[in-house]
C-alpha cells in the first residue's frame, strides 16, 4: 500500500463516515469507562438505550459498590454478556474507590490493571476522554486492515503497531469507528463486496485470489465479533 493510496483511502473514509463520533452519555470519567466496557459484544445503540436508566439507578461509584451485583445485572440485561459485565463494573468501581484520588487512570498501563478493562477499552477511553491518539483493533479493523494491505500481522497487537506506522496520528482515533461502519455494511467477514466498495480502486484485496482472512487469535475471536468499535475486551 503506497502512501498516496493510503491518503486517498483515509480521505474517502472521512467523507463517507465522518471524522467524529458522538460519545456515550456521561458526566464523570468512571461513567465513560463503564459505558465503553458495556459496548463490547453490543452495539452503540443498545448501550445508549441502557445508560439513562443505569445512571438514574446508580448516579455515583458508591451506589454501584453498595448494590448487589444482581441489581446491576437487571439494569444492563439488554446488553450482551451482561452478567460478566455487571461483575466487572462492580469490581472496577471498587478498585477505583480504593485509589487515593478515586479517579480513572490516564495511562494504558494503569487502566489495564482494572477489572474488566483490556487494551482496547483502555485505548478507547483515553481517546474519548482526553483525545489521546491510539489505534483500537477489533475484528472489523483487523480484517479490513489486512485486506487493504495496511497490515499483515496475525494478532491484534501486531496489527495495532502496523497501523500506527502506516497511518498519520490524526487518523488513529477515528479509524476504528470508520472501519467498523465499513465492515458492517460493505467489507463484511463473510464476503468483501468489492463491487460496491468506494475503496476498491486503492485496495489490495480485489487483486488477491482469496476472499477470506484469518480471524485474530484472541479469546474474543472464539465468540461473536465485537459490535462496537472497541471495541471490546
Amino acid at each position: 500500500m503506497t502512501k498516496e493510496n493510503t491518503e486517498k483511502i483515509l480521505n474517502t473514509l472521512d467523507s463517507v463516515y465522518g471524522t467524529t463520533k458522538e460519545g456515550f452519555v456521561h458526566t464523570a470519567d468512571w461513567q465513560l469507562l463503564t459505558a465503553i466496557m458495556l459496548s463490547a459484544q453490543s452495539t452503540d445503540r443498545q448501550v445508549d438505550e441502557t445508560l439513562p436508566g443505569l445512571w438514574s439507578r446508580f448516579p455515583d461509584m458508591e451506589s454501584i459498590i453498595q448494590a448487589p451485583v444482581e441489581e446491576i445485572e437487571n439494569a444492563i440485561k439488554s446488553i450482551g454478556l451482561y452478567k460478566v459485565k455487571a461483575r466487572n463494573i462492580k469490581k472496577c468501581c471498587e478498585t477505583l474507590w480504593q485509589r487515593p484520588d478515586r479517579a480513572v487512570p490516564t495511562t494504558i498501563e494503569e487502566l489495564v490493571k482494572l477489572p474488566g478493562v483490556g487494551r482496547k477499552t483502555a485505548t478507547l477511553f483515553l481517546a474519548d476522554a482526553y483525545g489521546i491518539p491510539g489505534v483500537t483493533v477489533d475484528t472489523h479493523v483487523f480484517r479490513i486492515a489486512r485486506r487493504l494491505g495496511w497490515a499483515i500481522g496475525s494478532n491484534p497487537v501486531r496489527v495495532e503497531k502496523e497501523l500506527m506506522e502506516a497511518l498519520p496520528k490524526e487518523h488513529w482515533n477515528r479509524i476504528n469507528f470508520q472501519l467498523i461502519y465499513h465492515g458492517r455494511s460493505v467489507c463484511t467477514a463473510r464476503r468483501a463486496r468489492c463491487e460496491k466498495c468506494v475503496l476498491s480502486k486503492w485496495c489490495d484485496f480485489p487483486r488477491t485470489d482469496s476472499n477470506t482472512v484469518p480471524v485474530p487469535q484472541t479469546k474474543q475471536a472464539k465468540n461473536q465479533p465485537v459490535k462496537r468499535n472497541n471495541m471490546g475486551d
Side-chain angles (χ1 to χ4, degrees):
M1 173 67 67
T2 66
K3 289 185 177 181
E4 181 181 3
N5 284 350
T6 291
E7 182 177 353
K8 290 176 180 178
I9 288 174
L10 293 175
N11 288 339
T12 302
L13 289 172
D14 286 351
S15 176
V16 174
Y17 301 111
T19 61
T20 60
K21 180 176 177 292
E22 187 175 348
F24 294 120
V25 175
H26 67 283
T27 58
D29 284 349
W30 73 270
Q31 291 182 332
L32 175 60
L33 182 62
T34 297
I36 295 173
M37 292 169 67
L38 289 175
S39 69
Q41 303 287 353
S42 300
T43 65
D44 286 359
R45 182 176 179 178
Q46 288 175 311
V47 177
D48 287 334
E49 291 174 348
T50 298
L51 292 181
L54 182 64
W55 303 150
S56 177
R57 172 64 185 84
F58 306 107
D60 49 46
M61 280 198 293
E62 192 172 10
S63 59
I64 290 273
I65 293 168
Q66 293 176 348
V69 70
E70 291 78 13
E71 285 191 33
I72 305 173
E73 290 177 0
N74 288 334
I76 63 171
K77 61 183 178 182
S78 62
I79 299 290
L81 303 177
Y82 72 94
K83 287 183 177 290
V84 173
K85 292 176 182 178
R87 292 196 299 271
N88 284 336
I89 289 169
K90 183 177 176 67
K91 291 178 182 178
C92 184
C93 286
E94 289 172 345
T95 302
L96 291 173
W97 194 260
Q98 294 171 5
R99 289 172 58 88
D101 55 4
R102 293 177 180 170
V104 180
T106 57
T107 67
I108 287 181
E109 292 74 18
E110 290 182 288
L111 281 165
V112 296
K113 294 177 183 178
L114 297 174
V117 177
R119 188 172 182 85
K120 283 174 286 200
T121 295
T123 302
L124 286 170
F125 171 79
L126 293 176
D128 290 352
Y130 306 114
I132 296 175
V135 174
T136 308
V137 179
D138 63 8
T139 55
H140 292 292
V141 176
F142 180 87
R143 177 178 72 253
I144 298 175
R146 290 175 54 96
R147 286 178 175 175
L148 287 171
W150 282 338
I152 61 173
S154 60
N155 61 74
V157 174
R158 178 57 187 162
V159 170
E160 177 186 334
K161 293 179 180 178
E162 291 179 288
L163 287 176
M164 292 173 74
E165 294 173 358
L167 307 182
K169 187 175 290 189
E170 60 267 25
H171 285 267
W172 290 1
N173 285 350
R174 61 182 180 263
I175 197 66
N176 176 255
F177 74 79
Q178 290 175 338
L179 293 189
I180 283 178
Y181 293 154
H182 195 64
R184 289 174 179 171
S185 60
V186 181
C187 195
T188 67
R190 287 189 175 184
R191 177 173 178 265
R193 297 183 174 89
C194 300
E195 71 282 0
K196 297 182 179 180
C197 182
V198 294
L199 309 179
S200 61
K201 66 181 75 173
W202 309 295
C203 179
D204 288 351
F205 193 66
R207 288 171 286 283
T208 65
D209 294 329
S210 174
N211 197 31
T212 61
V213 296
V215 294
Q217 297 303 305
T218 65
K219 292 181 180 180
Q220 274 191 39
K222 298 178 183 178
N223 302 314
Q224 295 180 354
V226 174
K227 298 185 179 180
R228 177 189 165 86
N229 42 73
N230 94 155
M231 207 337 265
D233 297 293

